[in-house]
């Protein structure tokens, strides 16, 4: 059994080989244009709003770069590096993207019942340099996203959603990426859909979209349009920093197949397996599931649970002994050397970290696989009780 895996097969292989054998161009061209159009249709936005990138981290960097650019007038008045409020419990990609964009990540505490940003804690960390808030949809949970937007709007902050876990999810009936400010997805090898590696951002204002579309191609002005029509900019102008962050035709071809499998295959499989976990583990003393809003549509990318009473390591060993792998999502970023090495204390995050254990979840598992994991867990707690 594996904790997670890429679910790819003949169709993805055929799509990649079609590009290799028939297209004549492996870089960013027509396939990427089609993928962006199909993503836009799926999300219910315009094609100009979707900007693909070679990783989700690159998409976050581009989004934060656009947010910082729009806020630069304000932050130059107060001086110092712009600050971004971000929950500490996230993949280090979120923090590195903030640093890459020339900003300082300000680690915030999370809510113990969901692992998502604690807005009350974030409010305490506001300074005149704060330019953005970056909610992370931890374990695909867009918990209180409306409240995050209200918080940002009241204070004139940009919102950069780290929606790496949340492709295909909905907040109160609206699909993540169909509304908001700057929304970033990851299509890395194990996310809800994959391009091998890859990601995209969705922008809701033309200035940010244009800036990000250019910045992913070294900020060569208008190069996206050139490449989509099979050309290049031979007389370029460049007015600001940019990066080589664009997606290739091979990645896009794989992503197009994956997007086509999402609603019929990946979403229902993840939902069914997560529901089995939720049903079997609901009433175990000693273990708690993360909370979700019944009004949200959550498609779990990972299946973290909380193990109380200092028994997490023992449960992990019991599972591993049966050939069941487990993970930890995540070591909080404020404990990492580069981000303060624990100089700051975030009590709820640290308490949750001590309890978090991630169980196997991917569409390659069967219901029987998940039942067998739950059986080991149930026996473990039965043994503890006796
Ligand atoms: C996967 C992930 C990213 C980064 O995406 P990549 O495509 O792997 O670069 C960012 N944030 C979170 C929470 C993630 O899980």
């Amino acid at each position: 059994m594996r904790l997670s895996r890429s679910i790819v097969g003949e169709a993805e292989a055929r799509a990649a080989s079609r590009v290799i054998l028939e297209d004549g161009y492996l870089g960013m061209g027509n396939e990427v244009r089609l993928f962006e159009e199909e993503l836009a249709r799926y999300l219910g936005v315009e094609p100009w709003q979707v900007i693909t990138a070679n990783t989700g981290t690159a998409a976050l960097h581009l989004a934060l770069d656009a947010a910082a650019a729009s806020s630069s007038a304000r932050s130059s008045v107060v001086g110092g590096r712009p600050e971004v409020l971000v929950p500490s419990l996230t993949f280090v990609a979120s923090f590195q993207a903030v640093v890459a964009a020339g900003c300082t990540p300000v680690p915030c505490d999370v809510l113990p019942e969901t692992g998502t940003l604690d807005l009350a804690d974030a409010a305490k960390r506001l300074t005149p340099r704060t330019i953005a808030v970056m909610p992370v949809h931890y374990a695909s949970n867009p918990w209180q996203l409306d409240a995050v937007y209200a918080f940002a709007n009241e204070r004139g902050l940009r919102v950069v959603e780290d929606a790496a876990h949340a492709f295909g999810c909905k907040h109160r009936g609206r699909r993540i990426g169909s509304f908001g400010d700057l929304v970033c997805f990851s299509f890395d090898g194990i996310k809800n859909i994959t391009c091998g590696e890859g990601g995209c951002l969705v922008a809701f204002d033309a200035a940010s979209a244009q800036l990000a579309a250019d910045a992913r191609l070294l900020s060569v002005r208008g190069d996206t349009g050139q490449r989509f029509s099979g050309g290049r900019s031979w007389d370029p102008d460049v007015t600001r920093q940019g990066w080589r962050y664009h997606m290739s035709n091979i990645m896009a071809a794989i992503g197009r197949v994956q997007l086509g499998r999402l609603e019929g295959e990946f979403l229902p499989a993840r939902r069914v397996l997560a529901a089995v976990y939720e049903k079997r583990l609901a009433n175990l003393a000693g273990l708690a599931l993360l909370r979700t809003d019944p009004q949200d549509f959550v498609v779990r990318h990972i299946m973290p649970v909380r193990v109380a009473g200092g028994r997490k390591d023992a449960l992990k060993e019991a599972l591993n002994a049966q050939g069941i792998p487990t993970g930890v999502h995540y070591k909080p970023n404020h404990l990492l050397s580069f981000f303060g090495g624990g100089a700051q204390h975030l009590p709820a995050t640290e308490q949750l970290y001590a309890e978090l254990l991630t169980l196997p979840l991917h569409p390659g598992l069967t219901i029987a696989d998940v039942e067998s994991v739950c059986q080991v867990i149930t026996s473990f707690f039965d043994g503890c009780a006796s």
Side-chain angles (χ1 to χ4, degrees), residues 276-277 280-281 369-379:
V276 173
Y277 274 126
R280 291 278 176 261
L281 303 178
D369 291 330
V370 171
E371 298 271 12
S372 75
V373 176
C374 294
Q375 188 54 52
V376 175
I377 297 172
T378 309
S379 316

Side-chain angles (χ1 to χ4, degrees), residues 268-284 287 289 300 303 305 359-361 365-375 377-378:
R270 287 183 179 277
R271 300 248 315 155
V272 163
L273 297 172
V276 173
Y277 274 126
E278 274 155 17
K279 186 164 168 223
R280 291 278 176 261
L281 303 178
N283 298 312
L284 278 185
L287 184 145
L289 298 162
R300 293 282 193 203
M303 191 70 211
V305 296
L359 305 175
L361 181 66
L365 293 175
T366 62
I367 289 175
D369 291 330
V370 171
E371 298 271 12
S372 75
V373 176
C374 294
Q375 188 54 52
I377 297 172
T378 309

Side-chain angles (χ1 to χ4, degrees), residues 176-253:
I176 300 301
S178 71
F179 66 95
D181 187 0
L182 293 157
V183 184
C184 300
F185 295 109
S186 164
F187 307 136
D188 80 19
I190 58 165
K191 294 282 163 53
N192 286 359
I193 64 168
T194 185
C195 300
E197 297 290 347
C200 78
L201 71 91
V202 187
F204 289 82
D205 67 288
S208 297
Q210 190 58 58
L211 206 78
D214 284 349
R216 75 170 153 184
L217 284 161
L218 300 171
S219 286
V220 173
R221 238 200 240 162
D223 208 24
T224 292
Q226 293 283 341
R227 283 169 188 261
F228 282 175
S229 53
R232 293 284 278 276
S233 305
W234 299 118
D235 180 20
D237 194 21
V238 173
T239 54
R240 60 190 302 278
Q241 185 174 12
W243 298 273
R244 288 282 282 181
Y245 277 175
H246 58 281
M247 180 175 272
S248 78
N249 275 344
I250 295 182
M251 300 162 88

Side-chain angles (χ1 to χ4, degrees), residues 54-365:
N54 57 0
T55 63
T57 308
L60 285 168
H61 181 186
L62 293 167
L64 288 154
D65 173 59
S70 71
S71 311
S72 66
R74 188 175 148 206
S75 57
S76 67
V77 172
V78 294
R81 281 162 72 95
E83 295 173 357
V84 177
L85 301 168
V86 52
S88 186
L89 190 74
T90 183
F91 187 37
V92 66
S94 322
F95 272 62
Q96 290 287 27
V98 173
V99 174
C103 303
T104 300
V106 177
C108 299
D109 224 340
V110 296
L111 301 168
E113 67 269 31
T114 58
T116 57
L117 180 66
D118 178 348
L119 277 178
D121 183 78
K124 290 187 226 149
R125 302 180 194 283
L126 286 160
T127 76
R129 290 180 299 283
T130 309
I131 61 153
V133 56
M134 191 174 173
V136 177
H137 306 323
Y138 180 78
S140 314
N141 187 355
W143 183 256
Q144 292 179 347
L145 185 55
D146 284 347
V148 174
Y149 274 98
F151 173 95
N153 289 341
E154 277 162 27
R155 294 165 177 86
L157 304 176
R158 299 295 302 262
V159 178
V160 177
E161 288 179 49
D162 182 339
H165 295 187
F167 195 72
C169 300
K170 291 179 188 165
H171 181 55
R172 314 211 153 170
R174 292 187 298 168
R175 192 166 274 152
I176 300 301
S178 71
F179 66 95
D181 187 0
L182 293 157
V183 184
C184 300
F185 295 109
S186 164
F187 307 136
D188 80 19
I190 58 165
K191 294 282 163 53
N192 286 359
I193 64 168
T194 185
C195 300
E197 297 290 347
C200 78
L201 71 91
V202 187
F204 289 82
D205 67 288
S208 297
Q210 190 58 58
L211 206 78
D214 284 349
R216 75 170 153 184
L217 284 161
L218 300 171
S219 286
V220 173
R221 238 200 240 162
D223 208 24
T224 292
Q226 293 283 341
R227 283 169 188 261
F228 282 175
S229 53
R232 293 284 278 276
S233 305
W234 299 118
D235 180 20
D237 194 21
V238 173
T239 54
R240 60 190 302 278
Q241 185 174 12
W243 298 273
R244 288 282 282 181
Y245 277 175
H246 58 281
M247 180 175 272
S248 78
N249 275 344
I250 295 182
M251 300 162 88
I254 294 169
R256 293 179 64 203
V257 174
Q258 289 268 302
L259 182 59
R261 295 175 66 181
L262 179 69
E263 290 283 322
E265 201 179 335
F266 301 149
L267 294 197
R270 287 183 179 277
R271 300 248 315 155
V272 163
L273 297 172
V276 173
Y277 274 126
E278 274 155 17
K279 186 164 168 223
R280 291 278 176 261
L281 303 178
N283 298 312
L284 278 185
L287 184 145
L289 298 162
L290 292 171
R291 191 170 159 203
T292 54
D293 182 339
Q295 290 187 71
D296 288 346
F297 181 80
V298 175
V299 185
R300 293 282 193 203
H301 152 60
I302 50 173
M303 191 70 211
V305 296
R306 299 172 65 183
V307 187
R311 291 210 289 262
K312 165 173 132 169
D313 289 336
L315 176 59
K316 172 182 149 61
E317 275 162 36
L319 287 162
N320 295 355
Q322 301 299 316
I324 298 163
T326 56
V328 179
H329 294 88
Y330 298 90
K331 182 170 180 180
N333 284 264
H334 73 283
L335 302 180
L336 305 177
S337 300
F338 191 50
F339 302 112
Q344 184 187 344
H345 184 44
L346 296 174
T349 303
E350 287 161 35
Q351 173 66 37
L352 185 57
Y353 172 51
E355 298 176 359
L356 282 174
L357 190 67
T358 303
L359 305 175
L361 181 66
H362 57 79
L365 293 175

